[in-house]
PDB file of all heavy atoms in Angstrom:
ATOM      1  N   ALA A 338     -10.944 -12.488  14.068  1.00 87.00           N
ATOM      2  CA  ALA A 338     -10.262 -13.607  13.422  1.00 87.00           C
ATOM      3  C   ALA A 338      -9.301 -14.296  14.373  1.00 87.00           C
ATOM      4  O   ALA A 338      -8.888 -15.433  14.146  1.00 87.00           O
ATOM      5  CB  ALA A 338      -9.500 -13.102  12.194  1.00 87.00           C
ATOM      6  N   THR A 339      -8.947 -13.605  15.445  1.00 84.00           N
ATOM      7  CA  THR A 339      -7.939 -14.133  16.365  1.00 84.00           C
ATOM      8  C   THR A 339      -8.335 -15.461  16.982  1.00 84.00           C
ATOM      9  O   THR A 339      -7.509 -16.352  17.138  1.00 84.00           O
ATOM     10  CB  THR A 339      -7.733 -13.133  17.508  1.00 84.00           C
ATOM     11  OG1 THR A 339      -7.945 -11.832  17.021  1.00 84.00           O
ATOM     12  CG2 THR A 339      -6.379 -13.257  18.084  1.00 84.00           C
ATOM     13  N   GLN A 340      -9.624 -15.583  17.362  1.00 88.00           N
ATOM     14  CA  GLN A 340     -10.031 -16.794  18.076  1.00 88.00           C
ATOM     15  C   GLN A 340      -9.836 -18.033  17.222  1.00 88.00           C
ATOM     16  O   GLN A 340      -9.488 -19.098  17.725  1.00 88.00           O
ATOM     17  CB  GLN A 340     -11.497 -16.688  18.521  1.00 88.00           C
ATOM     18  CG  GLN A 340     -11.671 -15.908  19.798  1.00 88.00           C
ATOM     19  CD  GLN A 340     -11.643 -14.418  19.573  1.00 88.00           C
ATOM     20  OE1 GLN A 340     -11.303 -13.967  18.488  1.00 88.00           O
ATOM     21  NE2 GLN A 340     -11.998 -13.645  20.573  1.00 88.00           N
ATOM     22  N   GLY A 341     -10.070 -17.913  15.911  1.00 89.00           N
ATOM     23  CA  GLY A 341      -9.844 -19.047  15.034  1.00 89.00           C
ATOM     24  C   GLY A 341      -8.386 -19.462  15.064  1.00 89.00           C
ATOM     25  O   GLY A 341      -8.055 -20.656  15.055  1.00 89.00           O
ATOM     26  N   ILE A 342      -7.499 -18.462  15.106  1.00 83.00           N
ATOM     27  CA  ILE A 342      -6.067 -18.751  15.162  1.00 83.00           C
ATOM     28  C   ILE A 342      -5.717 -19.439  16.466  1.00 83.00           C
ATOM     29  O   ILE A 342      -4.946 -20.406  16.482  1.00 83.00           O
ATOM     30  CB  ILE A 342      -5.264 -17.447  15.011  1.00 83.00           C
ATOM     31  CG1 ILE A 342      -5.546 -16.842  13.637  1.00 83.00           C
ATOM     32  CG2 ILE A 342      -3.794 -17.697  15.193  1.00 83.00           C
ATOM     33  CD1 ILE A 342      -4.874 -15.531  13.434  1.00 83.00           C
ATOM     34  N   TYR A 343      -6.292 -18.939  17.563  1.00 85.00           N
ATOM     35  CA  TYR A 343      -6.019 -19.586  18.851  1.00 85.00           C
ATOM     36  C   TYR A 343      -6.495 -21.033  18.845  1.00 85.00           C
ATOM     37  O   TYR A 343      -5.822 -21.932  19.355  1.00 85.00           O
ATOM     38  CB  TYR A 343      -6.708 -18.840  19.996  1.00 85.00           C
ATOM     39  CG  TYR A 343      -6.149 -17.472  20.254  1.00 85.00           C
ATOM     40  CD1 TYR A 343      -6.915 -16.489  20.869  1.00 85.00           C
ATOM     41  CD2 TYR A 343      -4.848 -17.144  19.896  1.00 85.00           C
ATOM     42  CE1 TYR A 343      -6.407 -15.236  21.109  1.00 85.00           C
ATOM     43  CE2 TYR A 343      -4.341 -15.890  20.121  1.00 85.00           C
ATOM     44  CZ  TYR A 343      -5.127 -14.937  20.732  1.00 85.00           C
ATOM     45  OH  TYR A 343      -4.632 -13.685  20.971  1.00 85.00           O
ATOM     46  N   GLY A 344      -7.686 -21.259  18.269  1.00 89.00           N
ATOM     47  CA  GLY A 344      -8.188 -22.632  18.188  1.00 89.00           C
ATOM     48  C   GLY A 344      -7.253 -23.506  17.382  1.00 89.00           C
ATOM     49  O   GLY A 344      -6.990 -24.662  17.740  1.00 89.00           O
ATOM     50  N   PHE A 345      -6.721 -22.931  16.303  1.00 85.00           N
ATOM     51  CA  PHE A 345      -5.800 -23.675  15.462  1.00 85.00           C
ATOM     52  C   PHE A 345      -4.534 -24.020  16.224  1.00 85.00           C
ATOM     53  O   PHE A 345      -4.030 -25.156  16.158  1.00 85.00           O
ATOM     54  CB  PHE A 345      -5.477 -22.832  14.225  1.00 85.00           C
ATOM     55  CG  PHE A 345      -4.516 -23.463  13.277  1.00 85.00           C
ATOM     56  CD1 PHE A 345      -4.871 -24.582  12.558  1.00 85.00           C
ATOM     57  CD2 PHE A 345      -3.236 -22.955  13.131  1.00 85.00           C
ATOM     58  CE1 PHE A 345      -3.989 -25.169  11.687  1.00 85.00           C
ATOM     59  CE2 PHE A 345      -2.347 -23.539  12.259  1.00 85.00           C
ATOM     60  CZ  PHE A 345      -2.723 -24.651  11.533  1.00 85.00           C
ATOM     61  N   VAL A 346      -3.994 -23.041  16.959  1.00 82.00           N
ATOM     62  CA  VAL A 346      -2.776 -23.291  17.738  1.00 82.00           C
ATOM     63  C   VAL A 346      -3.044 -24.333  18.812  1.00 82.00           C
ATOM     64  O   VAL A 346      -2.246 -25.258  19.022  1.00 82.00           O
ATOM     65  CB  VAL A 346      -2.267 -21.980  18.377  1.00 82.00           C
ATOM     66  CG1 VAL A 346      -1.110 -22.262  19.299  1.00 82.00           C
ATOM     67  CG2 VAL A 346      -1.856 -21.000  17.308  1.00 82.00           C
ATOM     68  N   ALA A 347      -4.199 -24.211  19.484  1.00 88.00           N
ATOM     69  CA  ALA A 347      -4.555 -25.191  20.512  1.00 88.00           C
ATOM     70  C   ALA A 347      -4.693 -26.572  19.899  1.00 88.00           C
ATOM     71  O   ALA A 347      -4.261 -27.578  20.489  1.00 88.00           O
ATOM     72  CB  ALA A 347      -5.864 -24.779  21.192  1.00 88.00           C
ATOM     73  N   PHE A 348      -5.259 -26.627  18.700  1.00 89.00           N
ATOM     74  CA  PHE A 348      -5.414 -27.898  18.002  1.00 89.00           C
ATOM     75  C   PHE A 348      -4.046 -28.532  17.774  1.00 89.00           C
ATOM     76  O   PHE A 348      -3.846 -29.728  18.015  1.00 89.00           O
ATOM     77  CB  PHE A 348      -6.125 -27.649  16.673  1.00 89.00           C
ATOM     78  CG  PHE A 348      -6.086 -28.803  15.715  1.00 89.00           C
ATOM     79  CD1 PHE A 348      -6.943 -29.868  15.873  1.00 89.00           C
ATOM     80  CD2 PHE A 348      -5.197 -28.828  14.666  1.00 89.00           C
ATOM     81  CE1 PHE A 348      -6.935 -30.937  14.996  1.00 89.00           C
ATOM     82  CE2 PHE A 348      -5.164 -29.887  13.780  1.00 89.00           C
ATOM     83  CZ  PHE A 348      -6.033 -30.941  13.946  1.00 89.00           C
ATOM     84  N   PHE A 349      -3.149 -27.697  17.311  1.00 83.00           N
ATOM     85  CA  PHE A 349      -1.814 -28.198  17.023  1.00 83.00           C
ATOM     86  C   PHE A 349      -1.141 -28.750  18.271  1.00 83.00           C
ATOM     87  O   PHE A 349      -0.512 -29.821  18.241  1.00 83.00           O
ATOM     88  CB  PHE A 349      -0.986 -27.046  16.450  1.00 83.00           C
ATOM     89  CG  PHE A 349      -0.109 -27.492  15.349  1.00 83.00           C
ATOM     90  CD1 PHE A 349      -0.652 -27.923  14.157  1.00 83.00           C
ATOM     91  CD2 PHE A 349       1.258 -27.530  15.502  1.00 83.00           C
ATOM     92  CE1 PHE A 349       0.141 -28.356  13.142  1.00 83.00           C
ATOM     93  CE2 PHE A 349       2.069 -27.965  14.477  1.00 83.00           C
ATOM     94  CZ  PHE A 349       1.512 -28.384  13.302  1.00 83.00           C
ATOM     95  N   ILE A 350      -1.261 -27.976  19.355  1.00 84.00           N
ATOM     96  CA  ILE A 350      -0.624 -28.395  20.605  1.00 84.00           C
ATOM     97  C   ILE A 350      -1.248 -29.692  21.113  1.00 84.00           C
ATOM     98  O   ILE A 350      -0.562 -30.644  21.484  1.00 84.00           O
ATOM     99  CB  ILE A 350      -0.755 -27.278  21.655  1.00 84.00           C
ATOM    100  CG1 ILE A 350       0.049 -26.067  21.195  1.00 84.00           C
ATOM    101  CG2 ILE A 350      -0.296 -27.751  23.007  1.00 84.00           C
ATOM    102  CD1 ILE A 350      -0.142 -24.871  22.065  1.00 84.00           C
ATOM    103  N   LEU A 351      -2.588 -29.733  21.103  1.00 89.00           N
ATOM    104  CA  LEU A 351      -3.268 -30.934  21.603  1.00 89.00           C
ATOM    105  C   LEU A 351      -2.981 -32.133  20.708  1.00 89.00           C
ATOM    106  O   LEU A 351      -2.843 -33.262  21.201  1.00 89.00           O
ATOM    107  CB  LEU A 351      -4.779 -30.679  21.672  1.00 89.00           C
ATOM    108  CG  LEU A 351      -5.249 -29.734  22.773  1.00 89.00           C
ATOM    109  CD1 LEU A 351      -6.746 -29.522  22.671  1.00 89.00           C
ATOM    110  CD2 LEU A 351      -4.888 -30.277  24.142  1.00 89.00           C
TER     111      LEU A 351
END
Side-chain angles (χ1 to χ4, degrees):
Chain A
T339 329
Q340 278 80 350
I342 297 176
Y343 292 156
F345 179 68
V346 174
F348 167 79
F349 220 67
I350 294 173
L351 288 177

